[in-house]
Amino acid sequence: MILETVLLVFIGIAIGVFAGLIPGIHVNTTIPLIMSLSFLLPTPYYLAVLVISVAVTEMFIDYIPSIFLGAPEADTSLSVLPGHRLLLEGRGHEAIKLTILGGIGSLLVSLIFIALLANSFQYLYEVTRPYVQYLIFGVMIFMFITEKNLKKMLSSILILSMTGIFGILVLNSYLVPAQEVLFPSLTGLFGLSTLIVSIFERSSIPKQKEDSRMLISKKEIVKSLILASIAGIVVGFLPAVGISEAGTMVQYLGGSGESRSFLITISGINVANDVFSLVSLFLVGNPRSGASVAIQGILGELMFFDVVFLIGVVMLTAGVASFLTSYLGKIIPKYLEKMNYKVLTISVIIFITCLVLFLTGPFGLLIVFTSTSLGLLCSFLEIRRSHCMGILLIPSLLFFTGLNEVVFSVLGI
Amino acid sequence: MKKDFLILICFLTSVVGLILIYIAAINLEPKQIELKDVTSELVGRSVLTSGKIVYKKTHAAGHLFLTISDEDTKIQIPLFAGFMNTLKEVGLTENDFEIGLKISVSGLVDEYQGQLQIIPRRDGDIKILND
């Protein structure tokens, strides 16, 4: 059993590395493909191991295309992810190392928090559930008021509203199967739009520095990890409030506005949320991520031993994946520096568009066209891209306030 | 000026995209299939199917849980309180869903505690086919 498990973990890591390096391939796209291989595996446990190892590996590797393939010029760098900023300073490998530190550190810190609070989760879950709509509304207000001036606040309301309408339409229609609809939607809002901005800006990847030491104090690291672990667990309680909203709140509330702290925090929230999602299957029987939905489907009700076993798989995978991510994060920019960035970006855009058409059909193409336009609009208005999360925030707000039926009736969908 | 133009173009393409999605959304119907063909592989997809009501249970919160069946397959149809209120507006109440009646239902296939469900959303998603 141990040998087979370790072998499957390494197979999962290989698949995760491959899928993670392809821009636009979200773990929720990979998992259904993995699930279709179930007939090859003798027991459900093996399939669960494969799913977890792929999901965890992608969580680490995903930062490579995100940081290295979305680089704009310095004057627009404030509107893109902080990893790009470090890349433009020639410190792309440091950015990757910070995300690894955030992931591994938060894995350990969040496990401690989860162990300490395990008996309270069911209570917290039941207590917070009736108030979810207020929390979602609070997050939205928070996102508006933290924009720099009135013009940007109004722009953020426009983007949140438009992406909200977009979310209501695509999430509640028969255009694309529900399990695949987020792929063209989020790819356009956050992926293709960033790549197109890069072409506009005629970016190139600057020569990367050999020195990749993490220029951040230990105090900042500890603060970022604790905040990330708490935020990652809290995200598990709040439907639709995603990693980027939590990251935005932590960035302002916790003072981690600097790129390096922010990278640790974002990566940490991601991992903590995934660990909590897995544990919440056992504690409250409610899956909170694509991977945990798959695990529930494979194993049904989880026992304590199952959770311990799966956390072991998470830790083994995270350890190996972090080494691989660091290695790839060091060698990939050396190749990218030599390539024509514009040609590379256009090739990636064409590849993703073909993938959307293949996986989600012509309606997926219409969705990605619209989501890319919305993402570009957000970028040109120079407001935070996290406002595009209106795609999930508004539909969730309607659901929890009970207004969704009224809206569906008015729209006739 | 160039940035304003780009903003305008992106705004207009976004609006056009939203309008096209809306038109497609209100005109597209789910795929019609036999009840026996509703399997866990369809979880997350929308289907249109039909079957006889073989079980009915009301919940204190206003939900109505139906089970429909053909000869071999049983699928749950949860009609949540909000949806029941929508049905009341078109003249359907829980009393109209009697055991033995054949109904057609369209909606999202889901799996809850190992049992397949079809979750209707619009008032037109559930129809009584015979009296």
Side-chain angles (χ1 to χ4, degrees):
Chain A
M1 173 92 178
I2 291 176
L3 266 178
E4 287 96 330
T5 302
V6 173
L7 179 67
L8 279 166
V9 165
F10 279 92
I11 293 171
I13 290 170
I15 297 170
V17 168
F18 179 72
L21 286 176
I22 302 172
I25 297 289
H26 189 266
V27 67
N28 289 353
T29 309
T30 320
I31 287 174
L33 298 174
I34 301 294
M35 298 285 276
S36 67
L37 300 175
S38 59
F39 68 94
L40 293 172
L41 299 166
T43 76
Y45 274 98
Y46 290 157
L47 185 59
V49 169
L50 198 60
V51 166
I52 296 250
S53 51
V54 170
V56 172
T57 306
E58 276 204 62
M59 220 182 311
F60 283 89
I61 296 283
D62 273 350
Y63 287 100
I64 292 176
S66 167
I67 289 173
F68 293 148
L69 292 177
E73 284 192 344
D75 61 347
T76 58
S77 61
L78 286 176
S79 65
V80 296
L81 294 168
H84 300 152
R85 242 173 280 162
L86 290 177
L87 182 73
L88 293 175
E89 293 169 16
R91 305 198 63 85
H93 187 221
E94 183 195 350
I96 293 291
K97 282 170 70 176
L98 288 163
T99 62
I100 295 169
L101 177 65
I104 293 288
S106 149
L107 172 62
L108 300 174
V109 177
S110 62
L111 280 175
I112 294 170
F113 280 142
I114 289 169
L116 290 173
L117 297 169
N119 292 330
S120 316
F121 280 128
Q122 183 70 43
Y123 172 74
L124 284 170
Y125 182 75
E126 281 162 13
V127 165
T128 53
R129 200 153 173 82
Y131 304 102
V132 167
Q133 65 269 36
Y134 303 112
L135 293 165
I136 294 173
F137 191 68
V139 169
M140 284 163 55
I141 296 293
F142 185 82
M143 287 164 72
F144 295 142
I145 59 172
T146 49
E147 281 294 347
K148 288 191 176 79
N149 55 47
L150 184 64
K151 190 182 167 191
K152 290 197 174 187
M153 283 182 199
L154 292 173
S155 299
S156 65
I157 292 172
L158 176 77
I159 291 296
L160 202 83
S161 309
M162 289 181 80
T163 51
I165 293 167
F166 175 65
I168 292 166
L169 292 175
V170 297
L171 298 176
N172 298 289
S173 68
Y174 302 123
L175 296 174
V176 171
Q179 64 200 26
E180 284 151 19
V181 75
L182 283 180
F183 172 51
S185 308
L186 298 182
T187 294
L189 288 171
F190 298 98
L192 288 185
S193 52
T194 303
L195 293 173
I196 292 170
V197 169
S198 299
I199 298 174
F200 271 102
E201 299 297 336
R202 295 165 191 238
S203 304
S204 58
I205 291 184
K207 189 160 174 55
Q208 299 296 298
K209 291 173 182 163
E210 284 299 320
D211 173 21
S212 63
R213 277 177 301 167
M214 290 182 278
L215 305 177
I216 182 170
S217 69
K218 283 179 187 163
K219 190 182 158 194
E220 275 296 309
I221 293 173
V222 172
K223 192 173 91 175
S224 300
L225 288 177
I226 291 174
L227 283 171
S229 303
I230 295 169
I233 293 170
V234 169
V235 166
F237 280 114
L238 303 182
V241 177
I243 310 297
S244 59
E245 288 83 9
T248 308
M249 291 184 79
V250 169
Q251 186 182 16
Y252 287 90
L253 294 176
S256 57
E258 205 266 333
S259 297
R260 291 174 173 84
S261 325
F262 191 67
L263 281 170
I264 293 177
T265 308
I266 281 285
S267 170
I269 293 173
N270 212 343
V271 172
N273 181 44
D274 227 54
V275 172
F276 177 73
S277 297
L278 197 61
V279 178
S280 73
L281 276 180
F282 170 66
L283 294 172
V284 292
N286 191 15
R288 306 289 311 151
S289 71
S292 59
V293 168
I295 296 299
Q296 191 183 45
I298 297 165
L299 298 178
E301 200 172 324
L302 258 66
M303 301 287 114
F304 178 71
F305 167 77
D306 298 328
V307 178
V308 174
F309 171 70
L310 294 176
I311 286 174
V313 172
V314 169
M315 295 184 84
L316 173 62
T317 309
V320 179
S322 62
F323 277 110
L324 285 172
T325 308
S326 178
Y327 175 71
L328 292 169
K330 191 164 190 174
I331 59 162
I332 286 177
K334 293 187 195 305
Y335 290 103
L336 294 180
E337 280 168 26
K338 294 172 192 162
M339 293 173 79
N340 182 323
Y341 185 78
K342 207 169 179 177
V343 173
L344 176 70
T345 309
I346 291 170
S347 309
V348 172
I349 290 171
I350 292 170
F351 172 76
I352 293 175
T353 309
C354 292
L355 199 65
V356 167
L357 183 63
F358 175 71
L359 293 175
T360 59
F363 287 119
L365 215 51
L366 174 61
I367 289 171
V368 84
F369 164 79
T370 311
S371 59
T372 305
S373 300
L374 288 164
L376 283 170
L377 183 61
C378 183
S379 180
F380 292 137
L381 287 169
E382 294 180 349
I383 54 172
R384 282 193 305 272
R385 197 64 68 90
S386 56
H387 295 301
C388 292
M389 288 306 286
I391 184 181
L392 298 177
L393 286 170
I394 302 281
S396 299
L397 188 65
L398 292 178
F399 177 80
F400 284 102
T401 51
L403 291 170
N404 51 341
E405 297 295 340
V406 179
V407 173
F408 296 158
S409 172
V410 170
L411 291 172
I413 58 171
Chain B
M1 184 62 190
K2 189 187 166 193
K3 202 180 86 183
D4 288 345
F5 178 71
L6 289 172
I7 289 172
L8 181 67
I9 291 290
C10 290
F11 178 76
L12 289 176
T13 50
S14 301
V15 171
V16 169
L18 287 174
I19 291 169
L20 290 174
I21 288 172
Y22 178 62
I23 291 169
I26 57 173
N27 288 298
L28 206 70
E29 291 298 327
K31 188 181 167 191
Q32 185 163 3
I33 59 169
E34 296 286 321
L35 196 62
K36 65 179 170 56
D37 296 326
V38 180
T39 62
S40 55
E41 285 176 10
L42 291 173
V43 169
R45 292 174 190 270
S46 298
V47 297
L48 167 63
T49 189
S50 59
K52 273 189 181 173
I53 301 174
V54 293
Y55 179 74
K56 173 182 171 180
K57 186 184 177 186
T58 50
H59 188 275
H63 314 308
L64 176 64
F65 297 100
L66 303 175
T67 301
I68 60 169
S69 173
D70 57 8
E71 286 172 3
D72 304 313
T73 315
K74 282 184 180 174
I75 302 284
Q76 285 183 353
I77 314 291
L79 309 178
F80 297 111
F83 182 72
M84 288 305 293
N85 290 334
T86 311
L87 286 183
K88 273 180 194 157
E89 289 169 19
V90 294
L92 282 173
T93 66
E94 62 180 66
N95 297 327
D96 294 305
F97 297 99
E98 291 173 13
I99 289 176
L101 281 182
K102 191 173 183 188
I103 61 169
S104 78
V105 59
S106 60
L108 199 67
V109 180
D110 198 4
E111 199 166 1
Y112 181 71
Q113 296 183 337
Q115 174 71 48
L116 285 172
Q117 301 183 325
I118 297 174
I119 306 170
R121 209 190 57 241
R122 299 182 283 195
D123 52 27
D125 283 351
I126 190 159
K127 288 175 188 151
I128 296 170
L129 298 178
N130 57 9
D131 292 321

